[in-house]
């Protein structure tokens, strides 16, 4: 089709990439099957195949997705359905929330280009990444954004920046694809004996901390509790903890909260 | 919508750009009004407003373009119709043909990113540029490609590279927009009521934590103490804490270590 290059290079490397660390695309409560199909097409255009659906409005599978996918069967057939966003991101070590507006959370905001570099760095070390997109009309809710390590916004004409879902997926995938040949411009050195923590481990840490903070009365002001918890979690998200660091921090919490005072 | 940034910065500079040298988008024999509408939306997303149609199959104006344009009225209303491609590109100083396959012509082939840089250079000197797209099914014919200075192909998964017209226009426009966008590619939003912590505050936090960890016996293994402290400090360094977060964390430490256990 117009503006694409079918002869550019052999498919092999790309198929490998799709298996070896290409990000998952998580669509939360997608409303229209057509949009899921178009998003699947955009994904495969960019060598992405791991599609995850959180409670799609009209269930799954959905015949309306087939034609708009233009033959991206492999993506639709392997799509997995989850009940909650936290289950859908549980195995990921880096989750990025696509969001049009700032959420008043202290999370890093990235362009798709920057996110692609971050994800390539994680993928190169065998970690799993994903980008989370909200429903067509409303976008992600704050709880879903809070599950993620960072947010992603596409720089576009601020006077007219509404993209449809498949186009947002395309731009994220396109930047991922293009970033494939480039060396990353920053990296976090991680010991060989550990790996980035996954969301389950991180959530275990958060719950441990909050349990102890409840017990000691730190979170006693009921109306402030949600925002304090969100802000605390944001700190540890931003730190990109390793699995080992999560264990260390849990030791710290246990130590602090159980100590016999003199 | 998902993944766009409505607050990025004021529209002024972008509106100016649209007037002052943003490329024209030339659609040759577009078949469906819906695709023209979606292409118009993609254009305005990227600050482009100069749409030119060469003999659209169903004439012009076409009501079917309106809804898919999602409010990009300014683009549809100002669209101009031409009888031939050569008339549509007559005033341009740089015309680039979007094409999926090589044409056996000795013309430079560019990615959208490279084309964006080329067009920025021309635009900066007051020259007019444009990108020419063929009909949905067949793409441009060789005579139309021959009218252009260079060709453009989107690097995508070679095993599945078919983009629809609006998506091809979006990727070209997106690269144009980014090539002129000076905004940083990542940022950490910080509340107006705080600021990044300074090293004195951070050190105060570290010492507070370590004092309590000494008291509770967490750091009792003497030879491990320095490395544990270094690792804990690294976590909080990486989190780029604000002054407010330092105070919150000190409250957490004080709360955890002083709580009356039941």
């Amino acid at each position: 089709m117009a503006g694409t290059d079918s002869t550019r290079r052999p498919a092999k490397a790309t198929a490998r990439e799709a298996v070896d660390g290409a990000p998952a695309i998580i669509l939360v409560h997608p409303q229209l099957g057509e949009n899921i199909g178009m998003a699947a097409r955009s994904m495969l255009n960019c060598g992405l195949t791991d599609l995850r659906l959180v409670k799609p409005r009209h269930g799954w599978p959905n015949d309306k997705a087939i034609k708009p996918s233009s033959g991206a069967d492999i993506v639709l057939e392997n799509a997995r359905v989850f009940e909650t966003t936290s289950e859908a991101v549980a195995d990921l070590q880096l989750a990025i929330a696509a969001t049009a507006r700032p959420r008043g959370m202290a999370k890093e905001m990235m362009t798709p280009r920057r996110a692609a570099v971050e994800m390539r760095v994680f993928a190169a070390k065998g970690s799993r990444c994903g980008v989370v997109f909200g429903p067509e009309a409303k976008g992600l809710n704050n709880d879903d954004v809070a599950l993620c390590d960072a947010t992603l916004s596409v720089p576009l004409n601020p006077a007219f920046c509404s993209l449809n879902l498949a186009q947002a997926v395309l731009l994220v995938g396109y930047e991922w694809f293009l970033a494939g040949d480039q060396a990353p411009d920053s990296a976090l050195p991680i010991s060989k004996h550990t790996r980035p923590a996954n969301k389950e481990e991180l959530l275990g840490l958060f719950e441990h901390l909050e349990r102890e903070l409840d017990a000691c009365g730190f979170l006693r002001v009921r109306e402030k509790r949600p925002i304090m918890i969100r802000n605390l979690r944001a700190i540890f998200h931003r730190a990109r903890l390793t699995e080992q660091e999560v264990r260390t921090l849990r030791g710290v919490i246990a130590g602090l909260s159980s100590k016999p005072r003199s």
Side-chain angles (χ1 to χ4, degrees), chain A:
Chain A
M1 229 300 299
T4 62
D5 182 352
S6 53
T7 62
R8 195 168 167 84
R9 49 182 173 138
K12 222 164 207 172
T14 311
R16 251 185 95 96
E17 278 170 7
V19 177
D20 288 351
I25 297 295
I26 299 104
L27 305 183
V28 178
H29 305 322
Q31 298 172 284
L32 299 176
E34 289 84 346
N35 286 336
I36 300 172
M38 287 194 287
R41 177 182 180 178
S42 292
M43 287 175 62
L44 196 54
N45 282 151
C46 307
L48 312 185
T49 54
D50 183 355
L51 174 60
R52 307 176 181 195
L53 306 171
V54 179
K55 271 202 180 167
R57 186 194 242 181
H58 299 290
W60 191 257
N62 182 339
D63 283 349
K64 293 200 169 153
I66 296 172
K67 197 170 165 227
S69 81
S70 290
D73 304 334
I74 186 176
V75 179
L76 295 181
E77 283 163 14
N78 292 320
R80 285 176 287 165
V81 178
F82 296 85
E83 269 300 297
T84 64
T85 307
S86 62
E87 289 169 78
V89 301
D91 64 318
L92 302 182
Q93 279 126 342
L94 178 68
I96 302 178
T99 169
R101 52 187 201 281
R103 305 304 185 108
M105 296 183 209
K107 285 192 191 283
E108 189 178 359
M109 293 175 64
M110 301 177 180
T111 62
R113 191 163 295 172
R114 175 75 204 158
V117 173
E118 290 270 323
M119 293 193 293
R120 287 277 173 188
V121 171
F122 270 69
K125 295 182 177 161
S127 293
R128 298 283 303 143
C129 307
V131 182
V132 184
F133 295 83
E136 291 88 332
K138 297 180 306 180
L140 289 170
N141 67 36
N142 279 341
D143 289 340
D144 287 340
V145 175
L147 285 170
C148 296
D149 303 289
T151 65
L152 174 154
S153 295
V154 182
L156 285 174
N157 179 359
F160 189 83
C161 65
S162 154
L163 283 176
N164 76 29
L165 186 55
Q167 286 179 317
V169 170
L170 176 69
L171 291 178
V172 167
Y174 167 76
E175 289 287 4
W176 161 266
F177 190 89
L178 281 196
D181 300 328
Q182 293 165 6
D185 67 353
S186 79
L188 175 63
I190 285 189
S191 149
K192 278 195 187 113
H193 306 294
T194 187
R195 56 165 175 76
N198 66 32
K199 294 295 164 270
E200 187 179 7
E201 291 154 352
L202 212 53
L203 212 61
L205 167 66
F206 294 158
E207 287 167 356
H208 185 173
L209 175 61
E210 290 148 20
R211 207 158 51 235
E212 293 299 343
L213 290 176
D214 276 327
C216 73
F218 185 79
L219 296 172
R220 66 188 169 279
V221 184
R222 185 137 289 279
E223 62 275 21
K224 284 193 181 166
R225 190 175 185 282
I227 183 79
M228 293 207 69
I229 283 179
R230 190 173 297 154
N231 290 343
L232 280 170
R233 288 184 175 202
I235 290 172
F236 293 105
H237 268 299
R238 248 156 49 211
R240 305 280 155 76
L241 299 172
T242 65
E243 184 272 335
Q244 191 178 55
E245 289 171 335
V246 166
R247 278 188 284 121
T248 302
L249 287 171
R250 294 192 67 156
V252 165
I253 295 165
L256 288 173
S257 53
S258 71
K259 81 164 197 260
R261 300 296 288 187
S262 52

